Each structure stands twice: as structure tokens, then as C-alpha cells.
Amino acid sequence: MTAQLSGLWLDSLAGTLAGQSIHRRSCRRCSPSASITVARQSTSSSSIQIVGGGLYGNELSKLSSTLESVPEEFDWINLEADLYHWTKALRPVQWYPGHIAKTEKELKNQLKLMDVVIEVRDARIPMSTSHPQMDSWLGNRKRIIVLNREDMISTADRNTWASYYARQGIKVVFSNGQLGMGTMKLSRLAKSLAGGVNEKRKAKGLLPRPVRAGIVGYPNVGKSSVINRLLKRRMCPAAPRPGVTRALKWVRFGTDLELLDSPGIIPMRINDQSAAIKLAICDDIGERSYDVSEVAAILIQMLSRLPTVGNKALHDRYKIDTDGRVGKIFVQKLALQLFNGDSHQAAFRILSDFRKGRFGWVALERPPKFEC
């Protein structure tokens, strides 16, 4: 269902949006979804998409004030181009602990037994936490993508990713492994996707068996936390650092679902260094693989460009003036101001502040755009 605001209603809002003109834009969607699209008139128009249901009275009453806070459309392509340029001068980020090679081999064999595969990604960087070989490993096997840590991104980020995956016909669940949100929906979806398994067994005269679901993904994206929330008890070791799970482990969820927890898998060599830097920023890769000061400097340069953060938020947080162009200088200033010149501690503080949401909850990626 697609709900569109009428032109008359939009015209009535125009006077309240500080002179901003609002017009309707019609766009052919690749697949139907419940959404609302509002576009500001500008050289490149921006939009708000609310996926998953219509607006109700209290939501409609808040929409005009929400529109006032929406920044002009941000050019994510330019940011990615800048990030590629910034990483060229840095030491490459590479991390491949010894247990991952063994795990990868075992996991490929176990995937053959799976009825459905649950791929967990970090909602802040869904593209960067997608293994480049995952599609070839899975083949035609049914897959659910879980974007964990949905509490660490904005509603606009969430809606954009939901719309992106809906257009591709990919099943996606947003979850918060710490609080358990989204886990029951994930359980129901896994069982429904693999429901035909026991129908085939019954036709062959075999007894039904539990649905087998494998949970895979990069290190520290929250795979074990999702399983623990599903089971409502701590069955799998989980900690906020990469490399905690080191062996495959089967666990039973009720009588009709079996889950395979697996260690994080990552390419032996990360060719996309822009993705590697984002993995480091979000703590999805081992700290020994990167220079903390370099990564913090890149983060400052990214945050200064994001309209939801910007230089003002950085100044408000650290009382340091910056134009956001040279993050290394910012790190050095913070080191002198708070840590007696220790750039490592200053860099760690910046990364920790981002990971704890001190700049607000923001994603570092947006999906590729579809042509209308």
C-alpha cells in the first residue's frame, strides 16, 4: 500500500516550512511498499520514506515539524569517493585470525544441511558487512538478512534500507540483539520460509524434523546475541569485541527450529579499504589490524560531512573548532586538550563516542539508488 500526501495538504504546509517549497513527485516503484514520499523542491530533491505501515493521526500531526528538520539530500556517492581517496595513503587494514580459515571450511560443509540461512549484518554498514563470497556459497538457498543494532541508526536510515531490500524481494529483519527486538519475527520468518521441508518429508513417508537455520556474518555483528535472545538464555558466548565465538555450535529453539551459531567470517584479504575502515570504526574487526589514530581521523572527516552531525556537533562535543578537512589535526588538538598529547587515547575516545551514540545514531552507508 502506498500512501501519498495530497497536493492540497502539501500546499497548506508550505507556509510553515520557512519558505521551503514542497511538491509532489510521482515515481514508479519496483515493488509495492507502504511508504510516504515527500520531496522538497531543489536541484536534487530529497525524500522521506516510511516503510511498514500507514500514518495515523498522531503521526500526521508530527509530520510538518519533522519535515523542518530534514536536511537537503546528502551526496553519499561523493562521500564514498572521498573515503576511497583518504584510505589510499593509509596502511591497509587486514585481519584474518587463524581460526577463521578452519571455520570457513567447516561452515561451507554445514551450509549444505541448511534449510534457510540467516545472515547478520551491522545496520550502520550493511554493505561493508556483507561477505563478497556469500552469494556463491548460498546458491539458491533461502536467505534472511538481519540488520542488527537497529537502535544505532535513525528512522530515516532504517526506512531507506527497508525500501532498498523490499525492491529486491529480499527478506530483511531489523533487530536489537541486546534487547531482543525483532527476534520473534525472525523465528517466525525462518520457519515459514523453510515450511516446505517437512511437506516433502511427509510425502516421502518420513517423520518431520526441526527446521535448520544457520546464522552467519562478520565478526562482532551480534550473531550470538541474536541467538541468546531467541532462546531467552545465554547459550552462546557473546561480548562486544570481534573473535569471541571460535567454533560452530548447534542449539535447539523449541521443538521445531535448530540454529547453528558460527564464528565471524571475513575475507582473507579485504580489497575494499573503504569498507575496511568502516569495519574498524564500527568495531567489527580486530583492533590490532588498524591504526586507531588514522581511523579516528577518517571518522572525523566523515562525521563533519554528514548533515545529521556536522562540524557543530563535533565542536559542541569537544570544544574544538574544525572545518572537517584534516581529521588528523583534530585528533592532535583533542590529545593536547585532554590527554597530555597522547593521540592514541584521543583517537580511542572519538571512536568510543561514536560507538556509544554520542553524536546521535547515524548510519555510515546508504544503499545504491534505483532509477525511477
Side-chain angles (χ1 to χ4, degrees):
M1 172 182 176
T2 301
Q4 291 186 320
L5 302 180
S6 68
L8 290 175
W9 191 78
L10 290 173
D11 291 340
S12 69
L13 280 178
T16 66
L17 298 179
Q20 295 286 347
S21 299
I22 298 181
H23 66 90
R24 286 180 296 171
R25 181 179 66 182
S26 61
C27 175
R28 183 184 304 164
R29 298 297 176 190
C30 301
S31 67
S33 61
S35 64
I36 292 181
T37 302
V38 180
R40 291 178 189 256
Q41 185 175 8
S42 62
T43 304
S44 60
S45 56
S46 61
S47 63
I48 305 171
Q49 291 187 321
I50 304 174
V51 180
L55 289 183
Y56 297 94
N58 61 331
E59 293 168 318
L60 285 170
S61 66
K62 297 176 182 177
L63 183 55
S64 64
S65 60
T66 301
L67 288 172
E68 293 179 358
S69 64
V70 175
E72 294 300 320
E73 183 175 351
F74 179 66
D75 194 336
W76 288 88
I77 296 177
N78 278 348
L79 178 61
E80 286 294 329
D82 287 339
L83 183 56
Y84 175 81
H85 175 72
W86 298 333
T87 59
K88 294 292 284 184
L90 304 182
R91 175 173 64 87
V93 175
Q94 300 293 344
W95 187 67
Y96 197 74
H99 71 276
I100 290 184
K102 179 182 177 183
T103 297
E104 187 175 304
K105 183 178 180 180
E106 292 177 349
L107 183 60
K108 288 178 184 178
N109 293 328
Q110 291 292 327
L111 285 176
K112 300 174 184 177
L113 306 175
M114 298 296 119
D115 302 314
V116 61
V117 175
I118 300 169
E119 183 185 359
V120 183
R121 302 183 187 178
D122 190 322
R124 297 167 294 180
I125 48 172
M127 293 297 187
S128 295
T129 47
S130 172
H131 197 292
Q133 294 179 278
M134 188 62 67
D135 290 341
S136 64
W137 291 346
L138 299 186
N140 296 324
R141 196 162 282 101
K142 294 178 181 178
R143 171 167 60 174
I144 302 169
I145 292 179
V146 174
L147 296 187
N148 193 33
R149 300 177 181 139
E150 70 158 337
D151 56 311
M152 293 186 175
I153 61 174
S154 68
T155 301
D157 293 324
R158 184 188 188 280
N159 292 338
T160 302
W161 283 107
S163 180
Y164 170 74
Y165 286 116
R167 289 181 186 128
Q168 298 182 76
I170 297 175
K171 301 294 184 182
V172 62
V173 175
F174 290 85
S175 74
N176 178 346
Q178 295 298 317
L179 300 179
M181 290 185 289
T183 52
M184 295 311 296
K185 178 181 178 181
L186 174 60
S187 172
R188 291 192 299 269
L189 184 57
K191 293 174 186 177
S192 66
L193 285 180
V197 172
N198 283 319
E199 292 179 5
K200 293 179 181 178
R201 290 178 63 84
K202 183 178 180 180
K204 295 177 181 179
L206 300 174
L207 294 174
R209 64 163 174 79
V211 170
R212 296 169 183 159
I215 297 188
V216 301
Y218 269 47
N220 203 36
V221 293
K223 301 181 296 298
S224 297
S225 294
V226 169
I227 291 179
N228 289 336
R229 282 295 175 179
L230 273 170
L231 301 176
K232 297 182 179 178
R233 61 186 186 276
R234 189 180 178 87
M235 291 292 293
C236 301
R241 65 181 186 276
V244 174
T245 304
R246 289 180 170 266
L248 300 175
K249 181 179 182 180
W250 281 100
V251 292
R252 176 71 67 91
F253 178 61
T255 59
D256 52 1
L257 181 62
E258 291 180 345
L259 300 169
L260 176 66
D261 186 24
S262 65
I265 50 174
I266 198 167
M268 181 178 293
R269 180 173 180 81
I270 305 176
N271 295 319
D272 185 351
Q273 284 299 296
S274 296
I277 288 293
K278 286 181 278 191
L279 291 173
I281 290 172
C282 295
D283 201 20
D284 292 332
I285 195 170
E287 188 176 326
R288 287 180 293 180
S289 67
Y290 57 88
D291 184 300
V292 176
S293 297
E294 290 180 345
V295 171
I298 296 292
L299 175 59
I300 289 295
Q301 291 168 196
M302 293 182 71
L303 293 178
S304 69
R305 283 162 172 75
L306 293 177
T308 52
V309 184
N311 291 330
K312 184 180 184 301
L314 294 173
H315 180 270
D316 291 345
R317 177 68 183 168
Y318 302 113
K319 310 306 179 189
I320 295 175
D321 293 325
T322 180
D323 60 5
R325 295 180 180 177
V326 185
K328 184 176 181 181
I329 293 177
F330 188 95
V331 174
Q332 291 172 349
K333 287 181 177 179
L334 183 63
L336 292 171
Q337 179 173 296
L338 296 180
F339 300 103
N340 296 319
D342 190 331
S343 294
H344 183 89
Q345 287 192 43
F348 187 79
R349 168 66 67 83
I350 293 168
L351 292 175
S352 179
D353 284 348
F354 172 78
R355 294 163 183 170
K356 293 177 180 178
R358 299 290 189 260
F359 307 107
W361 298 122
V362 292
L364 297 181
E365 292 178 343
R366 280 292 178 91
K369 289 186 177 180
F370 283 88
E371 293 295 332
C372 294

